[in-house]
Amino acid sequence: WSWAEWGGIAAALIVGVLAGGAGVSGLQDQPQLAAMSGGTLLAQGELADALTTQLAGAGAQDAPVKIGVSFEAKDGGYCRSFMMGAAAGLACRNGTEWKVPVMAQAVKGAAGEYRQAGSVMPPMILDAIDERITGQTLDAKAEEAARAREWKR
């Protein structure tokens, strides 16, 4: 088995878990992710649009995608955490595309419980951020500047 085949299996499992969690009827409401050759998930549709244009914490309360934190990655690109429905993930910019290396089921809080945006992220996503981040998360001004440069450094 090659790494590409193992990657494809992993991507299929992630998509299957997310699809099962969302339910068949909820799939049409979810932003689309596509599995590409080699098993790499790429953001498309509403998810890609939100990652490209939406500032962290600026989305409407009922927005399908909510952006968590944005940061400069050790590889020289930008990464952003996000929540969509019952899923949470991390997307990193690669040229003109957002690769999604990590997704997990979002952590649910008690009804009406106040929680900071970062606290609902699953530990798997937080660990992925810690592995990739260089420096601090972007503040609003730095995030606007990165967006203006089309997330290129």
Side-chain angles (χ1 to χ4, degrees):
W1 290 71
S2 71
W3 284 107
E5 290 169 320
W6 282 110
I9 291 170
L13 286 172
I14 290 170
V15 172
V17 167
L18 291 175
V24 175
S25 63
L27 281 178
Q28 291 151 353
D29 298 334
Q30 294 294 316
Q32 299 296 311
L33 289 176
M36 305 303 284
S37 66
T40 301
L41 290 176
L42 298 177
Q44 294 183 334
E46 290 179 326
L47 177 57
D49 291 343
L51 289 166
T52 302
T53 61
Q54 187 177 319
L55 297 176
Q61 188 70 14
D62 61 346
V65 179
K66 293 175 180 54
I67 303 298
V69 296
S70 303
F71 61 90
E72 294 180 3
K74 291 175 183 173
D75 68 2
Y78 286 100
C79 294
R80 308 186 83 194
S81 64
F82 64 89
M83 304 262 314
M84 55 179 211
L90 179 67
C92 296
R93 187 71 169 201
N94 180 23
T96 60
E97 300 174 315
W98 290 97
K99 287 186 176 182
V100 183
V102 185
M103 288 193 73
Q105 186 171 355
V107 176
K108 293 182 181 179
E113 178 182 345
Y114 173 79
R115 300 184 72 151
Q116 292 181 332
S119 67
V120 297
M121 285 289 163
M124 174 188 250
I125 306 300
L126 296 174
D127 290 344
I129 290 170
D130 287 342
E131 289 173 12
R132 290 169 175 81
I133 193 169
T134 181
Q136 300 294 316
T137 58
L138 300 181
D139 62 16
K141 187 175 179 180
E143 200 175 48
E144 285 181 30
R147 180 179 65 177
R149 291 189 309 271
E150 298 178 353
W151 300 99
K152 296 175 187 165
R153 289 174 74 193

